[in-house]
Amino acid sequence: MSEERVQRRLAAILAIDVVGYSRLTERDEVGTLTTLKSRRREILQPMISKHHGRIIKLIGDGALIEFGSAVNAVDCAVELQRAMDIANADVAGDRRIVLRAGINLGDVVVEGNDLYGDGVNVAARLESLSEPGGLCISGSVFEQINGKLPHSFVSLGPQTLKNIDRPIQTYRLAGKDGAAAAVSAVELSLPAKPSIVVLPFVDMSADAEQAYFVDGLTEDLITDLSKVPELFVIARNSSFAYKGSSVDTRQIARELGVKYVLEEAPDGWRTACGSMPSSSMHPPVGTSGQIASTGTLPISSRRKTKSSERLWRGSPAD
């Protein structure tokens, strides 16, 4: 008798979990369970139905939900968190039901009404990376929602997740306070004047104190370049959202709406052109190095600061 073929399908999986559930139940078990059931009935289930999702399973204080569309999954998660914020408005801080959420788009194994496999596991691990009240999504989800939703995300770069054998490109929903660097799900257009982001430099030493020095160099350079009227320079918060990540420079340029990306190279620094390969940065007077092409960034030499004068030992952009 031939072995039964495993049924598979592509699905967007939303994993949610209550933050500090054990603490909540220890304080007031009956009250916490009553509130949780009420939130599921009045907020979660109607929200899932609205966005054409399906609850796969309820796991204690958490849930796994399936969507046929990554757009629907993200929209549902964002609206769910907003609804939970409203419901918590008049509740004491130590009694609020707050959710973490993670979404992955991937292949799943179907067994009856249940789903298994890597697609589900990655969603659950992304949920654990989420901030309270927040949302983390995989790169596969971001690719699908790019240009289709108004929500903004911060790139966390490739993340190593428990029991997942490969790094997962991860994005986090931008913070409510606006302090977090936002990566718009809608591609940004280039400013009228030359635009650049300075990526954080890497501390190659074993001395943790040197990290502050290296970060300071990056911040000083951003500040100095910002003083040049001819340049549009991305702020420090947006730049440092990419610290420690290995995101392609062209992707960074698209996400931040800039033409040039200054990054560290083995022999110094280089400036890659994220959108138009025929352009490059123009090295300031008194420095050496190659540039990517004959294109130049028009900066008046009279306005160069000390840091920017020492800036370039460029190598050709890829």
Side-chain angles (χ1 to χ4, degrees):
M1 183 175 179
S2 62
E3 185 178 344
E4 185 178 353
R5 183 183 297 274
V6 175
Q7 184 181 354
R8 296 177 179 272
R9 65 170 173 254
L10 188 67
I13 305 297
L14 166 62
I16 59 174
D17 190 38
V18 176
V19 178
Y21 182 71
S22 297
R23 174 184 53 79
L24 291 169
T25 54
E26 183 178 358
R27 177 185 293 270
D28 182 3
E29 184 176 46
V30 175
T32 298
L33 288 173
T34 300
T35 303
L36 181 59
K37 289 179 180 179
S38 174
R39 297 289 176 82
R40 283 175 176 169
R41 182 178 62 254
E42 298 173 6
I43 297 178
L44 178 62
Q45 292 173 348
M47 197 71 69
I48 292 171
S49 297
K50 175 184 175 182
H51 293 89
H52 311 292
R54 176 182 75 90
I55 295 179
I56 304 168
K57 66 175 69 172
L58 298 174
I59 314 168
D61 59 312
L64 290 173
I65 302 125
E66 177 191 13
F67 295 86
S69 159
V71 171
N72 285 347
V74 171
D75 225 15
C76 180
V78 173
E79 287 191 28
L80 173 62
Q81 294 290 34
R82 289 173 179 167
M84 292 295 288
D85 282 346
I86 294 172
N88 283 326
D90 297 326
V91 180
D94 59 350
R95 295 180 181 274
R96 293 177 177 176
I97 301 291
V98 180
L99 302 178
R100 288 191 178 94
I103 302 176
N104 179 49
L105 177 67
D107 192 70
V108 296
V109 176
V110 183
E111 287 195 9
N113 291 325
D114 214 342
L115 300 179
Y116 299 92
D118 190 67
V120 177
N121 296 338
V122 170
R125 299 307 180 193
L126 289 172
E127 173 265 305
S128 66
L129 290 181
S130 170
E131 296 178 332
L135 167 66
C136 281
I137 64 175
S138 63
S140 60
V141 173
F142 186 84
E143 289 175 3
Q144 294 300 313
I145 69 169
N146 189 20
K148 300 171 185 174
L149 291 173
H151 315 309
S152 295
F153 290 83
V154 175
S155 174
L156 301 181
Q159 297 292 310
T160 301
L161 307 178
K162 184 178 179 181
N163 296 331
I164 304 298
D165 61 4
R166 67 194 185 285
I168 301 295
Q169 178 65 35
T170 305
Y171 296 84
R172 172 173 59 82
L173 185 67
K176 305 182 190 71
D177 59 2
V183 176
S184 176
V186 180
E187 282 196 15
L188 302 173
S189 58
L190 292 175
K193 55 186 177 181
S195 51
I196 186 171
V197 57
V198 181
L199 296 184
F201 299 149
V202 180
D203 175 23
M204 304 300 291
S205 73
D207 186 354
E209 293 185 0
Q210 293 298 318
Y212 296 102
F213 174 72
V214 173
D215 287 349
L217 287 177
T218 307
E219 292 170 358
D220 286 348
L221 184 53
I222 292 172
T223 300
D224 285 347
L225 289 174
S226 298
K227 296 175 182 177
V228 180
E230 294 96 333
L231 283 180
F232 177 89
V233 183
I234 293 297
R236 185 250 188 221
N237 281 349
S238 296
S239 170
F240 274 73
Y242 295 91
K243 184 175 180 178
S245 70
S246 56
V247 184
D248 181 76
T249 54
R250 290 174 178 81
Q251 179 180 335
I252 294 173
R254 288 193 300 270
E255 291 174 348
L256 295 180
V258 297
K259 190 173 183 180
Y260 304 98
V261 178
L262 173 65
E263 63 177 348
E264 191 170 4
D267 60 345
W269 298 283
R270 70 174 181 178
T271 304
C273 183
S275 58
M276 298 177 64
S278 63
S279 300
S280 72
M281 292 293 293
H282 179 68
V285 177
T287 61
S288 62
Q290 298 176 328
I291 57 176
S293 70
T294 57
T296 61
L297 183 67
I299 305 175
S300 169
S301 60
R302 292 191 302 272
R303 289 174 174 154
K304 294 186 185 77
T305 61
K306 291 182 179 179
S307 293
S308 61
E309 286 176 357
R310 296 193 299 267
L311 177 59
W312 309 112
R313 284 185 58 221
S315 60
D318 294 332

